[in-house]
Amino acid sequence: GAVAAAGAIAAAAGPGGGQAAAATPATAPRAGRTRRFAAGRRVAVFGGGMGGLTVAHELVERGFQVTVYERKAWGGKCRSMPVPNSGSGGRQDLPAEHGFRFFPGFYQNLPETMSRIPLPGGGNAAGNLVDGKEVAAFYNGTKFTLPAAGSIEGTLSPESLLAFLNTAINVIGTVPAWEVGYFLQKMIAFVTSGPKRRLKQWENLSFAEFVNSAKMSKGYRELLVDMFTGTLVAAKPDKANAHTMGLMAEAWVYSTLGLGGYKAPDRLLNAPTNEALIDPWMNHLRSLGVIFQGDAALTGLSVADRRITGAQVSGAGGNGAIEADHYVLAVPVERAVPLLNDNVLAADPSLRSLRELTTDWMNGLMIYLRQPINLARGHVAYAGQPWALTSISQAQFWKKKFGTTYGKGDVNECLSIDISAWDVPGILYGKPARECTTEQIFKEVVAQLRKAIPWGPVVLNDANIHSYFLDPAITGNGTPQVANDEPLLINRPRSWNYRPESITALPNLFLASDYVRADINLATMEAANEAGRKAANAILDAAGVGGSRATLKKLYLPNEFKGFYEEDDRRFDRGEANFFDLWDPVKPS
């Protein structure tokens, strides 16, 4: 997730940096006990990531017979990807993640799901979430922290919120004071914008355009704009739209202030994701009757009378034609588009819009250290570095002692690093990450970290670096055949208009992936979880099943600002700028 989920991260090698191949998952065992299911409740879910597991969870609890098919690895981009053959002496392989597992306090749907996943020995998976104590940015040898937890004196208002942010974002001296003021007033303009302006104006601008990044100083662009987008969503401000970025910034601030029932702003897991979430989740679903079929790639959908009549699956775990009452497409957008054949599109032409959605690379690198280094007690952004790096030091948050649990006993820290800009030249070789070999990527990342961190060459010294591991989804490094098997959806300007709901015009085909329209409005674990809940509710409706529905929690909007939202909608209808958009006001086009 996210965002960093959201952001992506992880993996490939020992001191030589050799790239490891992704392991092929073994077919999961079948359900632990026999259950009876009502007629018309057979569900085939294609994709065993966050969306697929969520829809399976919601439906099996309500008496549906669910089979989940997965082509590659359970958990999808949410999974752990341990370094193969790196453990010994009873220790597990060195841990690695596709993402650094950022669970901001404004995630609400996913933590609720986690609260329903029992753990061996008692408790539930939500209890594996721990709070980070700070979110930091390193910028050319100086450390900055993002808004710390606090409160606003008196009534929440645009003025009080502006005063809080002005105090919390302490970059004056590095960024001219008037530019800080400009950035903050744009944030206040977004916060007080009504739904019409958010969806019909800010959605159409990139975040960089929204805050006039091109007109400002280098410090403004690198420390405010890039740091903000990189820390919150591991996104690039020239590609992510202002609507999405504004929502994340707004939610972050409300979480920091303890509003809306949000939890601590920065949270993460206390163990590798498979250990803390995916494995206990799948074990629980098996116990309820879910069947998991691994190494089973969906290759086609059959259509007759505007309904799905079957699905074709290939792979060692596939068994040819699949028949079900309801079909759920829970694969990422780049894999969904080729499956939408002419017959599917004839039944639902609106699905053609998925071709307009774009993905980008947000994978990363794990650096294993012999001893931990003191960077920050939470997630870190490396502002001003060309590859838009973010990281988390894992060991400080994990419940098990790192060195005695993982590897060969000579590694005591995993520095999990996201690379969000794969197409920008680096500082060592002058080449974008896409063109670098695995070893060059490692050396380039280390050089950029050292440039950003105070006393970087001393803090991150060669003697302390044990090994590294590049995300195995990246293949063909340093060759024209370089490819990424697991890119991430990017919320580009106007992308909301191309994103579907979970329901399609085919009455038995449903969508449960992070490209589905979601209140969180960002390709994250939370968005995929929300999409899975929406798909489950749609299937309940299609099957005519009564009873409770999966809850859908919305992002918090303060009641104090209700009048501002309503007035801004009226101003939007009149073609006027937001009341607080005072410098370079933007009017509806």
Side-chain angles (χ1 to χ4, degrees):
V3 82
I9 277 253
Q19 186 134 352
T24 300
T27 299
R30 291 184 175 260
R33 66 171 186 262
T34 301
R35 294 185 65 190
R36 289 190 175 185
F37 300 95
R41 296 194 182 187
R42 296 174 303 157
V43 181
V45 178
F46 300 100
M50 178 59 66
L53 294 178
T54 299
V55 71
H57 194 162
E58 297 296 342
L59 290 177
V60 76
E61 285 187 340
R62 292 164 173 83
F64 282 72
Q65 179 183 349
V66 183
T67 304
V68 184
Y69 301 88
E70 168 57 40
R71 76 174 180 98
K72 185 174 182 179
W74 299 109
K77 289 191 283 288
C78 303
R79 73 191 186 279
S80 303
M81 299 180 291
V83 182
N85 306 313
S86 59
S88 67
R91 300 177 189 86
Q92 302 172 41
D93 286 341
L94 287 171
E97 309 278 345
H98 185 78
F100 46 42
R101 297 297 86 87
F102 182 38
F103 293 78
F106 52 83
Y107 279 18
Q108 300 173 91
N109 293 296
L110 175 54
E112 194 278 332
T113 293
M114 294 172 67
S115 73
R116 292 186 280 127
I117 301 171
L119 297 176
N124 59 65
N128 286 333
L129 290 171
V130 294
D131 296 348
K133 302 302 181 185
E134 64 178 335
V135 174
F138 291 111
Y139 180 64
N140 293 337
T142 301
K143 181 178 180 179
F144 297 88
T145 56
L146 263 72
S151 62
I152 286 177
E153 298 295 331
T155 304
L156 179 65
S157 67
E159 294 79 13
S160 65
L161 189 58
L162 182 60
F164 165 74
L165 289 172
N166 194 45
T167 302
I169 300 181
N170 185 23
V171 296
I172 294 176
T174 305
V175 180
W178 79 268
E179 290 188 349
V180 175
Y182 181 90
F183 182 85
L184 295 182
Q185 69 91 25
K186 284 292 184 183
M187 293 298 100
I188 297 301
F190 181 90
V191 165
T192 55
S193 289
K196 290 183 179 180
R197 194 180 305 277
R198 293 183 182 214
L199 274 174
K200 297 180 180 180
Q201 183 172 325
W202 304 141
E203 173 70 25
N204 299 334
L205 290 177
S206 73
F207 186 71
E209 291 171 327
F210 174 62
V211 295
N212 265 312
S213 182
K215 297 181 180 179
M216 301 297 179
S217 68
K218 185 171 183 283
Y220 178 95
R221 293 193 301 273
E222 294 183 339
L223 191 52
L224 275 181
V225 182
D226 293 351
M227 180 188 74
F228 230 69
T229 54
T231 305
L232 289 177
V233 302
K236 294 181 277 297
D238 60 326
K239 293 186 177 181
N241 69 63
H243 176 212
T244 297
M245 290 310 310
L247 279 178
M248 297 303 100
E250 175 183 66
W252 177 273
V253 170
Y254 293 149
S255 178
T256 298
L257 293 170
L259 299 174
Y262 289 160
K263 305 299 182 183
D266 188 10
R267 295 187 298 169
L268 59 159
L269 294 171
N270 63 4
T273 308
N274 281 6
E275 183 180 333
L277 175 58
I278 302 300
D279 290 345
W281 197 1
M282 292 182 65
N283 288 337
H284 176 56
L285 295 184
R286 284 190 191 101
S287 75
L288 296 178
V290 173
I291 297 171
F292 291 101
Q293 192 69 52
D295 194 11
L298 176 63
T299 58
L301 296 169
S302 300
V303 181
D305 298 325
R306 305 179 69 85
R307 294 177 62 89
I308 302 296
T309 56
Q312 293 75 51
V313 171
S314 67
N319 59 356
I322 304 297
E323 291 187 3
D325 301 304
H326 312 279
Y327 299 82
V328 180
L329 198 57
V331 299
V333 66
E334 74 277 3
R335 297 198 174 274
V337 168
L339 293 166
L340 302 176
N341 57 45
D342 290 345
N343 291 331
V344 173
L345 294 176
D348 189 346
S350 71
L351 293 176
R352 292 181 189 275
S353 67
L354 290 184
R355 298 174 181 174
E356 303 300 321
L357 298 177
T358 57
T359 60
D360 203 354
W361 294 20
M362 289 190 185
N363 308 60
L365 183 81
M366 320 301 289
I367 298 180
Y368 299 101
L369 304 176
R370 292 183 168 84
Q371 296 299 328
I373 58 178
N374 183 20
L375 294 178
R377 297 174 298 166
H379 285 87
V380 178
Y382 300 89
Q385 298 310 309
W387 287 4
L389 306 175
T390 49
S391 77
I392 187 71
S393 299
Q394 304 274 26
Q396 63 183 316
F397 298 103
W398 287 1
K399 58 187 176 183
K400 295 180 180 178
K401 188 172 175 58
F402 197 102
T404 57
T405 307
Y406 308 104
K408 295 179 170 62
D410 54 354
V411 173
N412 288 284
E413 178 64 282
C414 173
L415 186 61
S416 182
I417 301 151
D418 232 352
I419 304 172
S420 294
W422 283 76
D423 50 0
V424 178
I427 63 176
L428 272 188
Y429 304 103
K431 296 191 298 185
R434 287 176 185 263
E435 298 178 12
C436 290
T437 65
T438 301
E439 184 177 13
Q440 288 173 336
I441 290 173
F442 161 69
K443 290 181 176 179
E444 183 73 60
V445 167
V446 170
Q448 293 184 32
L449 295 184
R450 287 173 174 169
K451 184 177 178 182
I453 298 168
W455 301 98
V458 176
V459 173
L460 184 61
N461 59 76
D462 287 343
N464 196 28
I465 296 176
H466 175 275
S467 54
Y468 58 91
F469 187 53
L470 183 68
D471 189 333
I474 307 294
T475 57
N477 305 74
T479 75
Q481 288 73 44
V482 64
N484 186 347
D485 192 52
E486 299 179 32
L488 192 68
L489 175 73
I490 302 299
N491 290 65
R492 297 193 74 122
R494 297 177 178 82
S495 59
W496 180 266
N497 303 324
Y498 305 126
R499 291 165 60 191
E501 294 289 351
S502 284
I503 301 171
T504 74
L506 292 86
N508 64 342
L509 177 64
F510 307 87
L511 309 177
S513 190
D514 58 14
Y515 59 82
V516 170
R517 286 183 175 180
D519 195 59
I520 191 78
N521 193 33
L522 182 69
T524 56
M525 293 181 289
E526 174 78 351
N529 182 273
E530 185 177 338
R533 288 165 178 252
K534 284 186 167 185
N537 287 344
I539 290 172
L540 292 171
D541 292 342
V545 175
S548 67
R549 295 301 191 256
T551 57
L552 291 167
K553 299 178 184 292
K554 290 186 172 293
L555 291 171
Y556 165 77
L557 291 174
N559 288 330
E560 293 92 332
F561 289 176
K562 186 172 185 292
F564 291 109
Y565 304 144
E566 293 172 348
E567 173 58 22
D568 190 62
D569 272 354
R570 290 190 286 268
R571 292 178 66 91
F572 181 86
D573 288 339
R574 296 195 298 265
E576 299 172 359
N578 177 274
F579 181 81
F580 294 95
D581 197 5
L582 303 175
W583 301 345
D584 287 338
V586 181
K587 297 179 180 180
S589 55

